[in-house]
DNA sequence: TTTCTTTTGTTAAACGTTTAACTAAGGCGC
DNA sequence: GCGCCTTAGTTAAACGTTTAACAAAAGAAA
């Protein structure tokens, strides 16, 4: 009933049904006319034998398969997993499978993961680079696989890109805070070595300059929010302390909130807080957090649309898409306390 | 330089280097002796041509490849993505790739996703079933691919399983609350149709029975926490209202917290809250949330270990692993207010 | 009847890789 | 000079699938 290797191939089906493999293939793919009788017999055999086609063989034969590779920096960040969830939905709708790999910390590992992904000969790739250099772009272009770059854009882009307008989003947040009466803001980031983050920072700085506000101080606290506590506490204890904090990533939003609680600052009475990214938990805190909401779904969808166009053969010039963010105003922002001025 | 199809194959390398394909394969895989000179020449050719092997071809030839499929109910739940992240790390360490699919809501979709995964002829599978029935177990066993079932166990298990001791964990939480002086607890769950959740509930009920406490009320609020607000508020406004809430999933923890805030209940003064799962945000709320922490990493690692054993040919009887959870005590739990008694 | 068309099915090559079986050549002991 | 081992490399088959090219049979038009 089943071949010795435990796998049942199209050959087994053909034999059992007393036809040629080509006929089986034809009924499976629905390519050519097959008589009612034979078709039914084959369907039945397939059912009882539990046959399903081998992707590897199809892929080998076809040259490429309905698979796209997705490379993200890490699977620990909810932003990335949200993107993946969204891409997976799109892919499934279009009959594609996705293969996910996380790049890991160092460039060597990233490049090896990319190679692994490419060795599947995917029909396309979606890449969220680890850093601004994106040294692997060359590898990718050389492979002739269509790809789109998401979220973190390298300096020079010869490919389709989809990203968010970080500068505008951050500027909007600063604008809103200024409208509440804040004059001194504090920017907290993991690192300014990512273009993404730099743009967010630049947006705030530019707004403050335009509005005649003092240039906001920026804190680079790294990825371990715990260690940021003393730095942050010190910044808030200064003589002319900031009255509002803008956190530039979701992890920093979380870290900042913890620090504020631990150091006894009350949000928003003592200090206002604007977070980056918008997750469910931000609506469950007391107060709920005012946040810069990235359009995750639309990022994924647009990237997918570009990619499928390319896969379909579109060879027009690369497109750079920038999507706007939205500020979700909630309870963590309020006018600064005026009492302190006197 | 490159074949017309844009892909460079082992054949191209062989031709360019003036050797047979077998020799190229031998230097790539390091299988047989190849003279220094030839080896270097081939390496160089590989480099300049940008060759890397085609997984599909290897897989076809070898029968199976170093890939394992992972099937989760959804990619929106941080518990599942955390598991995936962990499995991915394990896989990478052992030189495996993983292919992830999310099963989606209905059974039909789940089963089609499973088929898609199996069509890759993975060396193994890790499955987190959608429900207790796990109708696809048959499909999986028929395919002869080793697999381990994670987290949500079907009633009858003929496979290796790795899960958490839900009953004990929930009982511990109830025990802790009772120790603080709580006598009336409220259990909130999305649904009791999952064995997992039923076990958690049973653990609490059993503890209360043992301790001579009244049987706790249970609220099934579905997946949309918003709609739960009136129900929850009503339960807390009752005459003999519960003084502690145990939320049975991470989403419910979040939802319950929001409801409490919106209805003006102060945690832990008015009511204590124990959450399920332990995520970073639970430490950023004020107060931080006492939570039943599932050993996510260990779940993933154990599952991976079992799977690799099976892949290596271990054919001993299936093993059922149960891991203990840990109660992380934080600020959201406190002794009940005694004033209300009078 | 002949010829042409349509319908239904088969044969065989190809995709890129690995590997068992083979060949050729060099070295060594006698 | 002969036999034998070792080393370095080649040949060809196989994995499971698709599909162009072909064949056979059955109608249809003449």
């Amino acid at each position: 009933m089943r071949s010795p290797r435990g796998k049942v191939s199209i050959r087994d089906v053909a034999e059992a049904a007393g036809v040629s493999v080509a006929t089986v293939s034809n009924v499976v793919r629905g390519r050519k006319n097959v008589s009612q009788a034979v078709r039914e017999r084959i369907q039945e055999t397939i059912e009882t034998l539990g046959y399903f086609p081998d992707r590897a063989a199809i892929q080998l034969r076809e040259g490429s398969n309905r698979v796209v590779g997705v490379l993200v920096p890490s699977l620990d960040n909810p932003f990335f997993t949200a993107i993946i969830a969204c891409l997976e939905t799109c892919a499934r709708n279009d009959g594609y499978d996705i293969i996910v790999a996380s790049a890991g910390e160092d460039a060597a590992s990233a490049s090896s993961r990319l190679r692994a992904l490419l060795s599947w000969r995917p029909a396309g790739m979606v890449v969220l680079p680890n850093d601004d250099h994106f040294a692997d772009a060359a590898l990718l272009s050389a492979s002739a696989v269509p790809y789109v770059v998401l979220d973190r854009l390298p300096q020079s882009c010869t490919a389709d890109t989809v990203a968010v307008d970080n500068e505008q989003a951050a500027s909007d947040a600063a604008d809103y805070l200024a409208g509440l009466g804040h004059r001194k803001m504090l920017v907290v980031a993991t690192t300014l070595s990512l273009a993404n983050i730099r743009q967010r920072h630049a947006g705030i700085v530019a707004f403050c300059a335009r509005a005649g506000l003092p240039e906001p101080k920026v804190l680079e606290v790294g990825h371990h929010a715990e260690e940021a506590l003393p730095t942050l506490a010190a910044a808030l204890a200064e003589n002319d302390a900031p009255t509002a904090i803008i956190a530039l990533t979701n992890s920093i939003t979380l870290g900042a909130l913890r620090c504020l609680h631990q150091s006894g600052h009350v949000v928003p009475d003592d200090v206002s807080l604007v977070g980056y990214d918008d997750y469910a938990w931000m609506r469950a805190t007391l107060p709920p957090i005012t946040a810069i909401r990235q359009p995750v779904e639309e990022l994924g969808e647009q990237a997918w649309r570009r990619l499928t166009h390319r896969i379909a053969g579109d060879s027009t010039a690369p497109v750079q898409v920038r999507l706007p963010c939205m500020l979700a105003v909630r309870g963590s922002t309020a006018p600064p306390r005026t009492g302190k001025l006197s």
Side-chain angles (χ1 to χ4, degrees), chain A:
Chain A
M1 184 165 184
R2 189 167 292 130
S3 85
R5 241 161 118 192
K7 322 245 159 126
V8 22
S9 79
I10 201 174
R11 193 167 239 109
D12 301 319
V13 177
E15 233 163 77
V19 293
S20 75
V21 289
T23 306
V24 178
S25 176
N26 282 332
V27 10
V28 172
R29 307 277 287 203
R31 282 280 200 254
K32 282 181 72 174
N33 275 348
V34 177
S35 71
Q36 179 85 3
V38 175
R39 185 174 29 231
E40 276 174 4
R41 183 148 45 93
I42 292 180
Q43 289 285 18
E44 217 168 279
T45 320
I46 287 179
E47 209 61 39
T48 64
L49 253 52
Y51 163 79
F52 44 90
D54 181 324
R55 299 288 291 245
I58 297 177
Q59 170 131 354
L60 180 55
R61 164 70 210 215
E62 308 263 270
S64 144
N65 204 331
R66 294 179 84 83
V67 201
V68 337
V70 179
L71 185 64
V72 296
S74 115
L75 288 170
D76 287 327
N77 188 323
F79 177 70
F80 299 139
T81 58
I83 293 274
I84 292 174
C86 175
L87 287 172
E88 211 256 357
T89 307
C90 294
R92 184 202 314 227
N93 282 341
D94 289 356
Y96 279 79
D97 272 355
I98 65 172
I99 303 188
V100 179
S102 80
E105 299 291 319
D106 56 306
S109 151
S111 141
S112 113
R113 298 308 290 162
L114 178 56
R115 266 167 212 278
L117 237 33
L118 284 175
S119 72
W120 289 102
R121 308 281 140 117
M125 291 267 315
V126 177
V127 182
L128 286 82
N130 258 6
D131 53 41
D132 306 351
H133 309 91
F134 191 30
D136 294 326
L139 191 57
L140 213 38
S141 319
S143 74
V145 172
Y147 67 99
V148 2
V149 179
L150 201 56
D151 184 44
R152 299 175 173 179
L153 307 189
Q155 287 103 332
S156 62
C157 256
T158 63
D160 292 320
T161 62
V162 178
V164 129
D165 190 341
N166 288 293
E167 197 152 345
Q168 183 67 51
S171 166
D172 287 351
D175 193 354
Y176 168 70
L177 286 173
L180 287 178
H182 293 273
R183 293 188 45 83
K184 254 210 112 186
M185 308 177 191
L186 176 64
V187 177
V188 191
T190 45
T191 166
L192 289 177
S193 68
L194 279 174
N196 249 358
I197 311 290
R198 277 201 306 276
Q199 287 159 12
R200 295 172 192 179
H201 179 223
I204 299 168
V205 169
F207 171 82
C208 289
R210 279 199 306 275
L213 300 179
E215 173 159 341
K217 198 170 174 180
V218 56
L219 245 47
E220 260 185 285
V221 300
H223 284 281
H224 294 287
E226 285 76 21
E227 302 159 8
L229 179 55
T231 331
L232 188 56
L236 289 173
E238 270 180 12
N239 217 344
D240 186 19
T243 57
I245 296 179
I246 304 181
L248 294 193
T249 66
N250 65 62
S251 65
I252 286 293
T253 306
L254 221 156
L257 195 56
R258 263 168 77 184
C259 288
L260 290 174
H261 291 162
Q262 280 176 34
S263 55
H265 291 88
V266 176
V267 177
D269 299 0
D270 296 335
V271 60
S272 286
L273 176 66
V274 175
Y276 219 99
D277 287 343
D278 187 23
Y279 295 111
W281 66 264
M282 296 188 181
R283 269 161 288 167
T285 55
L286 199 60
I289 307 212
T290 296
I292 298 169
R293 163 189 276 266
Q294 299 197 65
V296 178
E297 304 254 316
E298 212 185 337
L299 278 172
E301 280 164 16
Q302 294 259 9
W304 183 258
R305 200 171 320 155
R306 288 299 326 143
L307 187 60
T308 45
H309 280 164
R310 292 299 177 192
I311 291 175
D314 174 7
S315 58
T316 53
V319 177
Q320 325 280 315
V321 176
R322 284 256 174 210
L323 300 176
C325 294
M326 223 196 59
L327 187 68
V329 175
R330 304 207 184 89
S332 72
T333 44
R337 218 182 356 203
T338 49
K340 237 181 182 173
L341 286 176
S342 66

